[in-house]
PDB file of all heavy atoms in Angstrom:
ATOM      1  N   THR B1721     -36.053  -1.097 -34.347  1.00 97.00           N
ATOM      2  CA  THR B1721     -36.710  -0.634 -33.065  1.00 97.00           C
ATOM      3  C   THR B1721     -35.994   0.555 -32.432  1.00 97.00           C
ATOM      4  O   THR B1721     -36.577   1.250 -31.572  1.00 97.00           O
ATOM      5  CB  THR B1721     -36.710  -1.757 -32.100  1.00 97.00           C
ATOM      6  OG1 THR B1721     -35.354  -2.332 -31.988  1.00 97.00           O
ATOM      7  CG2 THR B1721     -37.567  -2.917 -32.518  1.00 97.00           C
ATOM      8  N   GLY B1722     -34.796   0.873 -32.900  1.00 97.00           N
ATOM      9  CA  GLY B1722     -33.993   1.831 -32.213  1.00 97.00           C
ATOM     10  C   GLY B1722     -33.890   3.124 -33.001  1.00 97.00           C
ATOM     11  O   GLY B1722     -34.116   3.161 -34.260  1.00 97.00           O
ATOM     12  N   LYS B1723     -33.705   4.264 -32.246  1.00 97.00           N
ATOM     13  CA  LYS B1723     -33.631   5.539 -32.937  1.00 97.00           C
ATOM     14  C   LYS B1723     -32.504   6.296 -32.079  1.00 97.00           C
ATOM     15  O   LYS B1723     -32.586   6.414 -30.967  1.00 97.00           O
ATOM     16  CB  LYS B1723     -34.975   6.288 -32.736  1.00 97.00           C
ATOM     17  CG  LYS B1723     -35.281   7.303 -33.762  1.00 97.00           C
ATOM     18  CD  LYS B1723     -36.786   7.731 -33.782  1.00 97.00           C
ATOM     19  CE  LYS B1723     -37.082   8.682 -32.643  1.00 97.00           C
ATOM     20  NZ  LYS B1723     -38.519   9.079 -32.554  1.00 97.00           N
ATOM     21  N   GLY B1724     -31.609   6.859 -32.886  1.00 96.00           N
ATOM     22  CA  GLY B1724     -30.683   7.752 -32.169  1.00 96.00           C
ATOM     23  C   GLY B1724     -29.370   6.993 -31.911  1.00 96.00           C
ATOM     24  O   GLY B1724     -28.449   7.607 -31.325  1.00 96.00           O
ATOM     25  N   PHE B1725     -29.261   5.702 -32.214  1.00 95.00           N
ATOM     26  CA  PHE B1725     -28.017   4.985 -31.848  1.00 95.00           C
ATOM     27  C   PHE B1725     -26.985   5.237 -32.988  1.00 95.00           C
ATOM     28  O   PHE B1725     -27.310   5.364 -34.126  1.00 95.00           O
ATOM     29  CB  PHE B1725     -28.289   3.470 -31.809  1.00 95.00           C
ATOM     30  CG  PHE B1725     -29.160   3.093 -30.622  1.00 95.00           C
ATOM     31  CD1 PHE B1725     -30.478   2.731 -30.808  1.00 95.00           C
ATOM     32  CD2 PHE B1725     -28.605   3.144 -29.348  1.00 95.00           C
ATOM     33  CE1 PHE B1725     -31.241   2.433 -29.692  1.00 95.00           C
ATOM     34  CE2 PHE B1725     -29.425   2.833 -28.286  1.00 95.00           C
ATOM     35  CZ  PHE B1725     -30.643   2.473 -28.390  1.00 95.00           C
ATOM     36  N   PHE B1726     -25.743   5.354 -32.602  1.00 90.00           N
ATOM     37  CA  PHE B1726     -24.655   5.563 -33.522  1.00 90.00           C
ATOM     38  C   PHE B1726     -24.025   4.269 -33.889  1.00 90.00           C
ATOM     39  O   PHE B1726     -24.148   3.811 -35.013  1.00 90.00           O
ATOM     40  CB  PHE B1726     -23.655   6.521 -32.877  1.00 90.00           C
ATOM     41  CG  PHE B1726     -22.423   6.795 -33.683  1.00 90.00           C
ATOM     42  CD1 PHE B1726     -22.553   7.100 -35.072  1.00 90.00           C
ATOM     43  CD2 PHE B1726     -21.150   6.772 -33.103  1.00 90.00           C
ATOM     44  CE1 PHE B1726     -21.470   7.346 -35.852  1.00 90.00           C
ATOM     45  CE2 PHE B1726     -20.022   6.931 -33.926  1.00 90.00           C
ATOM     46  CZ  PHE B1726     -20.140   7.307 -35.292  1.00 90.00           C
ATOM     47  N   ILE B1727     -23.442   3.629 -32.951  1.00 90.00           N
ATOM     48  CA  ILE B1727     -22.869   2.219 -33.149  1.00 90.00           C
ATOM     49  C   ILE B1727     -23.201   1.415 -31.926  1.00 90.00           C
ATOM     50  O   ILE B1727     -23.639   1.863 -30.936  1.00 90.00           O
ATOM     51  CB  ILE B1727     -21.402   2.268 -33.372  1.00 90.00           C
ATOM     52  CG1 ILE B1727     -20.703   2.959 -32.197  1.00 90.00           C
ATOM     53  CG2 ILE B1727     -21.004   2.812 -34.721  1.00 90.00           C
ATOM     54  CD1 ILE B1727     -19.208   2.818 -32.182  1.00 90.00           C
ATOM     55  N   GLY B1728     -23.092   0.135 -32.095  1.00 90.00           N
ATOM     56  CA  GLY B1728     -23.156  -0.867 -30.943  1.00 90.00           C
ATOM     57  C   GLY B1728     -24.548  -1.229 -30.545  1.00 90.00           C
ATOM     58  O   GLY B1728     -24.799  -1.773 -29.483  1.00 90.00           O
ATOM     59  N   PHE B1729     -25.530  -0.929 -31.331  1.00 94.00           N
ATOM     60  CA  PHE B1729     -26.923  -1.490 -31.087  1.00 94.00           C
ATOM     61  C   PHE B1729     -27.443  -2.082 -32.338  1.00 94.00           C
ATOM     62  O   PHE B1729     -27.400  -1.443 -33.394  1.00 94.00           O
ATOM     63  CB  PHE B1729     -27.841  -0.328 -30.694  1.00 94.00           C
ATOM     64  CG  PHE B1729     -29.250  -0.727 -30.567  1.00 94.00           C
ATOM     65  CD1 PHE B1729     -29.737  -1.275 -29.390  1.00 94.00           C
ATOM     66  CD2 PHE B1729     -30.114  -0.618 -31.734  1.00 94.00           C
ATOM     67  CE1 PHE B1729     -31.107  -1.590 -29.302  1.00 94.00           C
ATOM     68  CE2 PHE B1729     -31.445  -0.972 -31.562  1.00 94.00           C
ATOM     69  CZ  PHE B1729     -31.944  -1.526 -30.455  1.00 94.00           C
ATOM     70  N   PRO B1730     -28.011  -3.301 -32.289  1.00 95.00           N
ATOM     71  CA  PRO B1730     -28.120  -4.163 -31.166  1.00 95.00           C
ATOM     72  C   PRO B1730     -27.104  -5.294 -31.315  1.00 95.00           C
ATOM     73  O   PRO B1730     -26.157  -5.245 -32.122  1.00 95.00           O
ATOM     74  CB  PRO B1730     -29.496  -4.734 -31.352  1.00 95.00           C
ATOM     75  CG  PRO B1730     -29.681  -4.785 -32.819  1.00 95.00           C
ATOM     76  CD  PRO B1730     -28.821  -3.696 -33.436  1.00 95.00           C
ATOM     77  N   HIS B1731     -27.253  -6.286 -30.415  1.00 96.00           N
ATOM     78  CA  HIS B1731     -26.325  -7.459 -30.382  1.00 96.00           C
ATOM     79  C   HIS B1731     -27.072  -8.754 -30.763  1.00 96.00           C
ATOM     80  O   HIS B1731     -28.375  -8.769 -30.623  1.00 96.00           O
ATOM     81  CB  HIS B1731     -25.669  -7.633 -29.044  1.00 96.00           C
ATOM     82  CG  HIS B1731     -24.766  -6.474 -28.742  1.00 96.00           C
ATOM     83  ND1 HIS B1731     -25.121  -5.191 -28.452  1.00 96.00           N
ATOM     84  CD2 HIS B1731     -23.363  -6.478 -28.699  1.00 96.00           C
ATOM     85  CE1 HIS B1731     -24.037  -4.376 -28.190  1.00 96.00           C
ATOM     86  NE2 HIS B1731     -23.033  -5.182 -28.368  1.00 96.00           N
ATOM     87  N   VAL B1732     -26.326  -9.753 -30.908  1.00 94.00           N
ATOM     88  CA  VAL B1732     -26.987 -10.954 -31.390  1.00 94.00           C
ATOM     89  C   VAL B1732     -26.658 -12.251 -30.494  1.00 94.00           C
ATOM     90  O   VAL B1732     -27.323 -13.237 -30.419  1.00 94.00           O
ATOM     91  CB  VAL B1732     -26.696 -11.262 -32.847  1.00 94.00           C
ATOM     92  CG1 VAL B1732     -25.244 -11.521 -33.069  1.00 94.00           C
ATOM     93  CG2 VAL B1732     -27.569 -12.354 -33.414  1.00 94.00           C
ATOM     94  N   VAL B1733     -25.547 -12.127 -29.729  1.00 96.00           N
ATOM     95  CA  VAL B1733     -25.074 -13.228 -28.889  1.00 96.00           C
ATOM     96  C   VAL B1733     -25.224 -12.771 -27.378  1.00 96.00           C
ATOM     97  O   VAL B1733     -24.753 -11.683 -27.050  1.00 96.00           O
ATOM     98  CB  VAL B1733     -23.639 -13.688 -29.099  1.00 96.00           C
ATOM     99  CG1 VAL B1733     -23.182 -14.746 -28.162  1.00 96.00           C
ATOM    100  CG2 VAL B1733     -23.635 -14.226 -30.510  1.00 96.00           C
ATOM    101  N   PHE B1734     -25.865 -13.515 -26.526  1.00 98.00           N
ATOM    102  CA  PHE B1734     -26.036 -13.070 -25.159  1.00 98.00           C
ATOM    103  C   PHE B1734     -25.661 -14.315 -24.231  1.00 98.00           C
ATOM    104  O   PHE B1734     -25.990 -15.391 -24.537  1.00 98.00           O
ATOM    105  CB  PHE B1734     -27.471 -12.644 -24.847  1.00 98.00           C
ATOM    106  CG  PHE B1734     -27.941 -11.544 -25.622  1.00 98.00           C
ATOM    107  CD1 PHE B1734     -28.476 -11.668 -26.874  1.00 98.00           C
ATOM    108  CD2 PHE B1734     -27.919 -10.228 -25.010  1.00 98.00           C
ATOM    109  CE1 PHE B1734     -28.900 -10.512 -27.574  1.00 98.00           C
ATOM    110  CE2 PHE B1734     -28.240  -9.101 -25.816  1.00 98.00           C
ATOM    111  CZ  PHE B1734     -28.855  -9.298 -26.984  1.00 98.00           C
ATOM    112  N   ALA B1735     -24.907 -13.910 -23.129  1.00 98.00           N
ATOM    113  CA  ALA B1735     -24.758 -14.925 -22.010  1.00 98.00           C
ATOM    114  C   ALA B1735     -25.983 -14.526 -21.024  1.00 98.00           C
ATOM    115  O   ALA B1735     -26.334 -13.478 -20.841  1.00 98.00           O
ATOM    116  CB  ALA B1735     -23.453 -14.738 -21.390  1.00 98.00           C
ATOM    117  N   TYR B1736     -26.396 -15.570 -20.365  1.00 98.00           N
ATOM    118  CA  TYR B1736     -27.449 -15.451 -19.371  1.00 98.00           C
ATOM    119  C   TYR B1736     -27.082 -15.964 -18.056  1.00 98.00           C
ATOM    120  O   TYR B1736     -26.103 -16.806 -17.916  1.00 98.00           O
ATOM    121  CB  TYR B1736     -28.682 -16.214 -19.859  1.00 98.00           C
ATOM    122  CG  TYR B1736     -29.332 -15.644 -21.126  1.00 98.00           C
ATOM    123  CD1 TYR B1736     -28.808 -16.068 -22.366  1.00 98.00           C
ATOM    124  CD2 TYR B1736     -30.359 -14.761 -21.086  1.00 98.00           C
ATOM    125  CE1 TYR B1736     -29.283 -15.587 -23.555  1.00 98.00           C
ATOM    126  CE2 TYR B1736     -30.818 -14.111 -22.264  1.00 98.00           C
ATOM    127  CZ  TYR B1736     -30.401 -14.644 -23.499  1.00 98.00           C
ATOM    128  OH  TYR B1736     -30.920 -14.095 -24.714  1.00 98.00           O
ATOM    129  N   GLY B1737     -27.761 -15.474 -16.944  1.00 98.00           N
ATOM    130  CA  GLY B1737     -27.455 -16.061 -15.657  1.00 98.00           C
ATOM    131  C   GLY B1737     -28.637 -15.821 -14.691  1.00 98.00           C
ATOM    132  O   GLY B1737     -29.422 -14.951 -14.897  1.00 98.00           O
TER     133      GLY B1737
END
Side-chain angles (χ1 to χ4, degrees):
Chain B
T1721 53
K1723 206 165 78 183
F1725 292 106
F1726 177 48
I1727 53 169
F1729 172 88
H1731 292 74
V1732 67
V1733 174
F1734 297 87
Y1736 295 87

